[in-house]
């Protein structure tokens, strides 16, 4: 099963992607994580092209598609892939269909995270990420280190208010077309509305699994 997660920054798609990947034995492919990894290596050929990330702008479709294609080839034997942060434009959605088609696969499920702006800001400004296992936490949980692997908890460079506002703008501008693309595609489109800042990741995960089973997509 291949799943696309759509949603603005802070909507919880990364966290839900991790939970779904664990539950169903799928592989999560996060373009943001792939890019942040590349940005740690100044000698990487894409290092300069990826500097736009620090300003909250989108990376070009050409680069994103090439990075994803490369990653997908390595994942050809996976039971399924959860796409987190990709596609973000219609051109990327079309490219993903081409890549999957050529492997005899398709996007089966789209999860659209529709989360109010207040909830998004609250989450992003308090977000802490484990530098080692990449799990995501919130400052309100009070951890001084990752409770899973004791890694260091860090603040993402683009999680500051100015850059967050830009990322929202970019998302809103580009996402409408992607949503329409998938609403017209042959896949299950599941919309998740969140306006409660205190809803737990576990509650959201339960809801998603219920929706997937209602449609006969999981047992
Ligand atoms: P968020 O969803 O919180 O913005 P991500 O980790 O998904 O975070 O992405 C971080 C940044 O990486 C984005 O702001 C953007 O600059 C870049 N990026 C990630 N995925 C894509 C994509 N599919 N297309 C273009 N740029 C991307």
């Amino acid at each position: 099963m291949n799943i696309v997660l759509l949603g603005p920054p802070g909507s919880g798609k990364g966290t839900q992607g991790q939970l779904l990947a664990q539950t169903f034995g799928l592989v999560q492919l996060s373009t943001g994580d792939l890019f942040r990894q590349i940005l740690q290596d100044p000698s990487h050929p894409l290092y300069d092209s990826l500097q736009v990330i620090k300003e909250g702008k989108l990376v070009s479709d050409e680069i994103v598609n090439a990075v994803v294609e490369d990653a997908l080839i390595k994942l050809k034997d996976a039971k399924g892939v959860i796409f987190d942060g990709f596609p973000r434009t219609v051109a990327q959605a079309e490219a993903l269909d081409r890549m999957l088609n050529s492997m005899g696969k398709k996007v089966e499920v789209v999860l659209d995270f529709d989360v109010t702006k207040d909830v998004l800001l609250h989450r992003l400004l308090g977000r802490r990420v484990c530098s080692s296992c990449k799990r995501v936490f919130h400052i309100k949980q009070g951890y001084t280190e990752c409770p899973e692997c004791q890694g260091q908890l860090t603040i993402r460079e683009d999680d500051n208010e100015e850059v967050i506002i830009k990322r929202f703008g970019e998302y809103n501008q580009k996402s409408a077309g992607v949503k329409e693309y998938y609403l017209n595609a042959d896949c299950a489109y599941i919309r998740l509305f969140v306006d409660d800042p205190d809803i737990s990741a576990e509650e959201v995960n339960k809801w998603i699994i219920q929706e997937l089973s209602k449609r006969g997509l999981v047992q």
Side-chain angles (χ1 to χ4, degrees), residues 9 14 77 80 99 183:
D77 296 326
M99 292 177 216
L183 279 166

Side-chain angles (χ1 to χ4, degrees), residues 73-113:
I73 290 168
K74 291 181 191 139
L75 295 176
K76 66 175 186 338
D77 296 326
K79 218 167 110 185
V81 178
I82 299 179
F83 296 93
D84 166 13
F86 174 87
R88 263 181 167 85
T89 64
V90 173
Q92 291 178 17
E94 288 167 348
L96 178 61
D97 276 350
R98 279 196 300 274
M99 292 177 216
L100 290 175
N101 279 344
S102 73
M103 301 165 92
K105 299 175 184 175
K106 68 186 280 270
V107 171
E108 272 93 13
V109 180
V110 174
L111 285 175
D112 178 5
F113 291 71

Side-chain angles (χ1 to χ4, degrees), residues 9 13 31-32 36 57 59 64 85 88 92 127 156 167:
K13 57 190 187 330
T31 41
R36 280 185 288 278
K57 292 186 190 148
V59 177
V64 179
R88 263 181 167 85
Q92 291 178 17
R127 175 154 76 176
R156 267 174 48 171
R167 282 155 59 205

Side-chain angles (χ1 to χ4, degrees), residues 129-135 137 143-153:
V129 185
C130 173
S131 59
S132 170
C133 71
K134 308 294 172 210
R135 281 189 179 81
F137 304 95
Y143 296 127
T144 49
E145 60 179 20
C146 175
E148 302 288 334
C149 77
Q150 285 72 53
Q152 194 193 352
L153 295 183

Side-chain angles (χ1 to χ4, degrees), residues 16-35:
Q16 294 305 321
Q18 281 169 3
L19 293 172
L20 291 172
Q22 275 166 22
T23 309
F24 298 113
L26 308 173
V27 179
Q28 183 176 18
L29 198 157
S30 155
T31 41
D33 282 348
L34 289 175
F35 295 154

